[in-house]
Amino acid sequence: MFLEFLTLALFGCASPAAFNRSTTEAEHNWKFVWLEAKISDYVQSTEPLQVDLNAFTISMWVKDTKGNTDSGYVQAENGFLRVYRHRSTLYLQVGTATTQCASCISTDSSLKHIVITWSGSGSSNGMGAFWINGVKVYTFTNFNKNYVIASGPTIYLGTIHNNAYPFRGEMSYVNIYPVNITTTEQVAQLSKASTSNPSAAMSWSAFTRGAHGDVILAPEYEIFTSSYIDIECRSTNMTVYLTRSAFPHLIPSRVGLIDTTCGGGWNATHVYVTTNLDQCGTRVEYSTSLAKYTNYIVPDVVYPPTDNSNSEDTPHAVVNRGALKLADTSLTFHCSYPLLAHATIPAYAVSSSNFDIDGAGKREISFKIELYHDANYTRRYQESEYPIRADATERIYTKAIVVGDNARMSIWVDKCVATPNSDPEYVTRHELITDGCPQDATLQFHNATDVREQRFSFQVFRFNARPTAAVYLHCYIDVCRDGNEESRCAKGLDLCDN
């Protein structure tokens, strides 16, 4: 099962004065974008550093697109604090002292969470560390002891050394804390999108009005979404959880889905909405390998924006005064499930006096293989009975089934291969079904009572190379939308050569 978020949509329409609109707007979930590396492009805090620092932790998210060259990240106005990169080396300067972490940061344009800590007092005097994406990559133990960065300077982003090392890329959630953190758990907490933390000596909200030159201020969704929104994808339904403190303008009682009669629940910390995969307006799209179920949270079912085209909509002009559609002001989420599912079981062993071989089958969440006693498919073998004992003249009655109550699905066995071990790619193998068509001369399909299952049987065989080994079945299925006459599941054996 795969899980993926779509980004939060555009901010909702401006709230009319006549009522209080419920929205998924956040506070200060911004990022700065430097399109070019120019010394005139930088960000300046709109307030000075308010406290003296004899220890600090700098936490920031950076997407540096300059490659194998130099970039300035953070600098205090008086030059007493600097963080910058020279190729793959990351530097920290405090006063006249500099420490560097060689080859600790990649020069690609991936998004990185950078944390730099330092202490100038106490038992950790002169100690600190560099962390990249939650991993401690460098420590220093004798760096600028008993030093204090005095309050008062403005903090700059995207430049250092008197406008040298101009930055290009994106920067967000830069926070400076007056403490030296030391644990992985603390760093993980800092990786969340923090905008106005009262414990910070300077928080991200102090920068959001300080862009200079051609630096662009844009909404940031990726980090904020992963910080404060969770989703659970189950076999028959999905649930989205929103952290209430991150969405102060969201009114829980007004939250709904595409089908606005499907409301949400809430407690002191979260708002949550659950939908079955075939309810509440959930939409499904099929690719060659996935079934993607999509819905979106409508933040205000009482006062939703119109979902109709607007004569003032001018998407190709410089400005647009058209009304935002419902989907544009909503939080979209989806769960994806593999269409080609796979399961393995130790199916049977040919009867002999050898020790009974035991094993555990691999089973994906939405699909499994079951074995039955006969063609009636009423008496199923328990998993604890695998591998079953079988005589050479017997048949193995098999059922492939999608687990879960989803009446909109149908299946067709795409491939089924037998091996003498749990490796489906093992060199000793026997093809039972390939491309949905029988390959074994004894294989027979049996009528099923449910489109979410397929039944077939074959005569027992053994491998000459390993005649006493248990035979493992590895089956893959196509999962299709029921009722689609063009799907592989609907066409069945019609696509097979006679």
Side-chain angles (χ1 to χ4, degrees):
M1 179 176 66
F2 296 87
L3 162 65
E4 183 181 343
F5 282 114
L6 296 183
T7 55
L8 292 172
L10 296 171
F11 287 163
C13 299
S15 300
F19 56 83
N20 181 24
R21 185 184 294 279
S22 174
T23 75
T24 51
E25 294 178 16
E27 299 289 345
H28 305 296
N29 65 317
W30 301 100
K31 64 181 177 182
F32 286 109
V33 182
W34 284 256
L35 298 177
E36 299 181 52
K38 299 188 298 185
I39 60 175
S40 59
D41 293 353
Y42 61 91
V43 174
Q44 178 182 357
S45 65
T46 52
E47 59 187 47
L49 188 66
Q50 300 290 331
V51 297
D52 295 343
L53 297 178
N54 61 358
F56 66 71
T57 294
I58 301 174
S59 173
M60 54 187 167
W61 281 93
V62 175
K63 180 183 286 187
D64 189 336
T65 61
K66 282 189 71 177
N68 192 29
T69 182
D70 311 311
S71 289
Y73 292 161
V74 178
Q75 173 176 280
E77 183 180 22
N78 53 17
F80 290 165
L81 171 64
R82 288 171 175 158
V83 178
Y84 57 98
R85 176 181 69 86
H86 173 65
R87 297 182 178 176
S88 61
T89 299
L90 198 59
Y91 291 82
L92 168 66
Q93 178 183 334
V94 176
T96 59
T98 302
T99 187
Q100 65 191 60
C101 174
S103 301
C104 71
I105 186 168
S106 65
T107 59
D108 60 28
S109 59
S110 62
L111 187 62
K112 301 176 181 69
H113 182 226
I114 301 173
V115 174
I116 299 178
T117 69
W118 165 80
S119 176
S121 64
S123 59
S124 57
N125 195 357
M127 300 172 61
F130 290 19
W131 304 71
I132 307 293
N133 293 335
V135 178
K136 185 187 293 185
V137 295
Y138 176 67
T139 58
F140 49 93
T141 58
N142 192 22
F143 175 75
N144 231 19
K145 292 186 176 183
N146 303 311
Y147 191 82
V148 175
I149 299 173
S151 61
T154 300
I155 304 298
Y156 293 87
L157 307 179
T159 183
I160 65 162
H161 295 319
N162 298 321
N163 291 333
Y165 287 21
F167 177 75
R168 186 182 68 212
E170 299 178 3
M171 204 174 294
S172 57
Y173 308 119
V174 180
N175 292 275
I176 303 175
Y177 301 90
V179 293
N180 171 35
I181 68 166
T182 59
T183 69
T184 302
E185 291 74 20
Q186 290 172 314
V187 171
Q189 187 63 31
L190 291 181
S191 69
K192 292 188 175 182
S194 181
T195 58
S196 299
N197 193 326
S199 65
M202 181 167 288
S203 65
W204 180 237
S205 59
F207 294 101
T208 53
R209 297 184 305 278
H212 291 260
D214 293 327
V215 179
I216 296 172
L217 182 65
E220 194 291 312
Y221 297 126
E222 181 180 352
I223 302 166
F224 200 87
T225 296
S226 63
S227 298
Y228 301 114
I229 304 175
D230 293 301
I231 187 168
E232 291 184 0
C233 297
R234 308 180 191 91
S235 60
T236 61
N237 59 58
M238 49 188 176
T239 301
V240 178
Y241 303 87
L242 282 73
T243 303
R244 293 187 66 174
S245 60
F247 300 95
H249 306 295
L250 189 65
I251 302 173
S253 61
R254 295 189 190 173
V255 172
L257 293 173
I258 292 177
D259 180 351
T260 55
T261 61
C262 296
W266 62 91
N267 54 33
T269 59
H270 289 84
V271 177
Y272 47 89
V273 183
T274 298
T275 174
N276 288 335
L277 297 181
D278 55 358
Q279 292 182 340
C280 297
T282 301
R283 298 162 182 171
V284 61
E285 297 178 358
Y286 294 96
S287 67
T288 56
S289 60
L290 294 175
K292 182 173 72 174
Y293 293 84
T294 301
N295 209 311
Y296 52 76
I297 291 179
V298 179
D300 197 327
V301 299
V302 178
Y303 300 110
T306 60
D307 202 12
N308 300 314
S309 60
N310 190 296
S311 59
E312 296 185 56
D313 188 35
T314 54
H316 303 296
V318 176
V319 299
N320 192 332
R321 291 190 172 92
L324 288 173
K325 295 183 179 181
L326 191 60
D328 295 328
T329 59
S330 303
L331 188 156
T332 304
F333 61 94
H334 68 249
C335 288
S336 296
Y337 302 84
L339 283 179
L340 192 61
H342 167 232
T344 292
I345 62 168
Y348 68 89
V350 178
S351 297
S352 70
S353 60
N354 292 339
F355 183 76
D356 190 2
I357 300 174
D358 195 12
K362 178 182 176 183
R363 185 179 66 189
E364 291 190 33
I365 225 174
S366 58
F367 169 59
K368 64 180 179 180
I369 304 169
E370 296 176 344
L371 300 183
Y372 286 78
H373 285 264
D374 53 43
N376 293 323
Y377 284 90
T378 55
R379 291 191 300 146
R380 177 170 59 88
Y381 285 102
Q382 301 301 310
E383 290 186 29
S384 59
E385 298 179 82
Y386 295 158
I388 64 174
R389 293 287 183 168
D391 293 324
T393 57
E394 291 186 64
R395 299 187 67 82
I396 301 298
Y397 292 93
T398 309
K399 177 195 287 187
I401 183 170
V402 173
V403 180
D405 182 18
N406 191 341
R408 300 170 69 183
M409 287 290 197
S410 60
I411 72 166
W412 187 260
V413 175
D414 179 80
K415 177 181 178 181
C416 208
V417 60
T419 66
N421 59 23
S422 59
D423 181 6
E425 303 300 326
Y426 192 64
V427 63
T428 301
R429 53 193 285 125
H430 178 60
E431 301 284 344
L432 293 168
I433 299 173
T434 301
D435 295 331
C437 300
Q439 301 299 304
D440 183 288
T442 70
L443 192 134
Q444 297 176 0
F445 288 102
H446 304 277
N447 291 332
T449 58
D450 194 315
V451 294
R452 291 167 295 181
E453 64 182 55
Q454 189 175 9
R455 301 173 179 180
F456 61 92
S457 67
F458 57 93
Q459 187 173 332
V460 168
F461 63 87
R462 61 185 179 273
F463 290 101
N464 289 326
R466 295 189 178 183
T468 60
V471 175
Y472 283 73
L473 290 183
H474 315 272
C475 293
Y476 302 76
I477 61 168
D478 280 326
V479 181
C480 312
R481 183 181 178 85
D482 187 33
N484 180 5
E485 297 301 324
E486 297 303 314
S487 70
R488 180 66 182 88
C489 304
K491 293 183 178 180
L493 293 174
D494 292 343
L495 297 181
C496 301
D497 296 331
N498 294 328

